Amino acid sequence: MTEPGNWRDQQWQHPQGGGPVQPPGGAPGSQLTPAPAYWAHPAPPAHRAKRRTPTAKVTNIIVLCLFVVVALGTLVVFSFSIGTSVFLVCGALALIPLAICVLTLVWIDRWEPEPKSALALGFCWGAGMSVVTALVVGGWVQPLLIASNASADPGMVGAVVQAPLVEEVCKGAGVLLLFFLRRRTFDGPVDGVVYAGIIAAGFAFTENILYFGQAFNESGGQPGGLLGIFVMRGLMSPFAHVMFTGALGACVGYAARHGGTAMVLVAWVVGLVPAMLLHGLWNSLTFIHGNFFVLYLLLQVPIFVLCITGIIFLRRAEARLTRRRLSDYVPSGWFSQPEVPMLASGAGRRRALAWSKTFGAEKVMREFIRLATRLAFTRQRILVDAKGGAGGAAAARLAAAQAQELQLLNAVTAARSELLGRHGAAAWQARQHP
């Protein structure tokens, strides 16, 4: 990701006006404290933050506990179905593609990490509720599809039509649920991809255990059958479900950033179309006559490359949005002009973190970056909700976002003050002990 500006070469503007102030040591990365006049914006006085109503928090905890129980129960049932010893072996193998997916999603989510509790909720939905629902609903849907075309191959109907239809709806329901439960942190396409991806990773984890176990038992306990399906599902296509549901998540995240609940519901329905089409196209590879590896290179690899390209595009869009929204606070003095590219580019963040490490304040700098990014996305939500009119749900969301904006502004100022205080103390100690 390229840096949107060279903040090292820019003059530091006084936040309250009065012309440029050039810090004696340059910008973050130097060992000297910036000019005191630059930091004239006072830190907020100590105050007790307004507590949020516990209803939402309690609801999230209850839902998470429910999903954990369902996920564990699903795994227990599968262990009895395929045998405990086989389940343990297959579970260990299924952890490999799961780790690949989770580590990739963490990398995608680096710009503005989502709450771990929300990711855990999504994973448990995918590993438990969506699997159970897909099995139950699929048992009803497949006979209906076959009855409508008696000459159709049941295996092909199940893989190419029934599985994409039922599984994407079940996984997508979790994306919609996370939007309503975690609306404050569900505010962009990357968020949608991450939440949808973690749901899909949970679904694939449980499904892989079942497929691995069935292959092992059908091969009479021979490792060859298990190894073959592990290579195909676990190594050659670990991101399959993540890509399918990720397309839906990107649509929902885009709608969450640019509209209200109605737009999100429409985007959810629209997002099901590419998710189902990708799923059906992927599964159809099994029924196409020809060399499997050639078809894999011609069909599945390009889909994967297209998804990676889309993720890179979305991440760069997040950086541009962060820069635009943080720039809105420059005229009022909440941020200086050089701070914006420092906080809104990968290169700027790396240099800032390297600078903070020189005096033991890396944790504070990371919090400063996190708060500033959250502030930028909150402001974007304010701008969107402000277009919704003076009444209704948009007005309520606008008021809540404005309250959150003020809290974040105070928190950003306090983090900056702590960061510069630590830097000043380190500089003073260095002068005392040259």
Side-chain angles (χ1 to χ4, degrees), residues 1 13 20 83 103 127 165 196 267 297 299 321 366-367 430:
M1 187 177 298
Q13 300 291 329
L103 291 175
L165 176 65
L297 291 175
L299 179 62
L321 176 66
R366 289 190 182 277
E367 180 66 4

Side-chain angles (χ1 to χ4, degrees), residues 136-157:
V136 173
V137 176
W140 300 336
V141 171
Q142 187 168 5
L144 296 177
L145 295 174
I146 295 175
S148 63
N149 189 354
S151 61
D153 178 7
M156 181 178 292
V157 171

Side-chain angles (χ1 to χ4, degrees), residues 217-377:
N217 290 331
E218 289 174 1
S219 64
Q222 297 298 318
L226 176 58
L227 180 61
I229 194 170
F230 169 73
V231 171
M232 290 182 59
R233 292 183 61 91
L235 299 182
M236 295 181 66
S237 56
F239 298 107
H241 279 287
V242 173
M243 291 190 297
F244 309 151
T245 315
L248 182 150
C251 293
V252 174
Y254 179 87
R257 173 168 290 172
H258 296 281
T261 302
M263 184 175 179
V264 168
L265 293 175
V266 172
W268 184 80
V269 176
V270 172
L272 284 173
V273 176
M276 292 178 181
L277 288 177
L278 285 173
H279 197 158
L281 182 63
W282 194 280
N283 287 356
S284 67
L285 186 64
T286 308
F287 301 93
I288 299 177
H289 297 290
N291 188 288
F292 171 82
F293 293 99
V294 173
L295 294 172
Y296 176 84
L297 291 175
L298 293 178
L299 179 62
Q300 296 189 356
V301 171
I303 293 176
F304 177 74
V305 172
L306 180 63
C307 290
I308 293 296
T309 303
I311 291 297
I312 294 173
F313 172 80
L314 291 176
R315 287 192 55 177
R316 290 182 175 177
E318 295 250 291
R320 291 194 297 270
L321 176 66
T322 303
R323 188 180 186 183
R324 287 198 303 269
R325 297 287 76 89
L326 291 183
S327 296
D328 294 345
Y329 296 102
V330 172
S332 58
W334 287 106
F335 288 93
S336 70
Q337 187 61 47
E339 277 182 313
V340 174
M342 182 192 78
L343 294 166
S345 70
R349 290 181 173 190
R350 287 191 293 271
R351 287 200 292 265
L353 289 169
W355 171 70
S356 64
K357 287 180 182 179
T358 61
F359 55 97
E362 180 185 5
K363 184 177 180 181
V364 182
M365 178 60 79
R366 289 190 182 277
E367 180 66 4
F368 184 45
I369 293 171
R370 186 191 70 82
L371 290 169
T373 310
R374 170 52 50 192
L375 176 64
F377 291 169

